[in-house]
Amino acid sequence: MEDIEQLLHHMKESHDKVKVLHENCARLRSSAEAGAGAVQATVDGNKMVRSLDIHVDYVCPEGKEMLQDLIIAAVNMANEKVEKLVESEVKKGTEKLLSEFVLNQEE
């Protein structure tokens, strides 16, 4: 019975740590720019765009299509960068959880 209680306790601890890991990942921020600084986008770990900055020289009716392409490029690059940050954080957290679990099993 004690083994089951220990397992449940470790599972709850692991769940709590994963929750904190996800919260930490959600706070990550990544920015990218396109068009030599014409457009800059920032996203969070949930891949939500948090800011978008468009240089004043690019806001005109004739440049609408180019502006749209630059926005898409900036957002996509920022998403790629934050995805790598999230993967790294999840990997670190998972490795830590696994090592703690193995250590606890040995006790």
Side-chain angles (χ1 to χ4, degrees):
M1 190 63 141
E2 187 175 316
D3 289 340
I4 293 174
E5 288 176 11
Q6 284 181 338
L7 179 62
L8 291 173
H9 177 73
H10 289 301
M11 286 176 62
K12 181 176 179 348
E13 283 181 348
S14 296
H15 180 270
D16 292 343
K17 289 176 182 178
V18 168
K19 183 178 176 183
V20 169
L21 177 63
H22 282 285
E23 290 168 356
N24 290 341
C25 287
R27 286 192 288 271
L28 293 173
R29 296 286 187 269
S30 180
S31 296
E33 62 179 41
V39 176
Q40 182 179 27
T42 301
V43 296
D44 65 18
N46 290 325
K47 300 180 186 174
M48 298 294 296
V49 177
R50 292 297 172 191
S51 69
L52 181 66
D53 184 37
I54 303 168
H55 192 277
V56 68
D57 291 345
Y58 292 91
V59 183
C60 65
E62 298 82 25
K64 182 179 178 192
E65 189 172 331
M66 180 169 59
L67 179 60
Q68 291 171 331
D69 289 343
L70 292 171
I71 291 169
I72 290 168
V75 170
N76 286 341
M77 286 188 284
N79 274 328
E80 288 173 7
K81 288 172 66 176
V82 80
E83 180 66 27
K84 289 177 184 176
L85 291 171
V86 169
E87 285 177 16
S88 175
E89 290 298 312
V90 169
K91 182 178 178 182
K92 283 191 263 184
T94 302
E95 289 171 352
K96 184 177 179 185
L97 285 174
L98 289 175
S99 66
E100 289 174 1
F101 181 75
V102 169
L103 289 175
N104 288 329
Q105 292 298 316
E106 293 173 355
E107 293 176 353

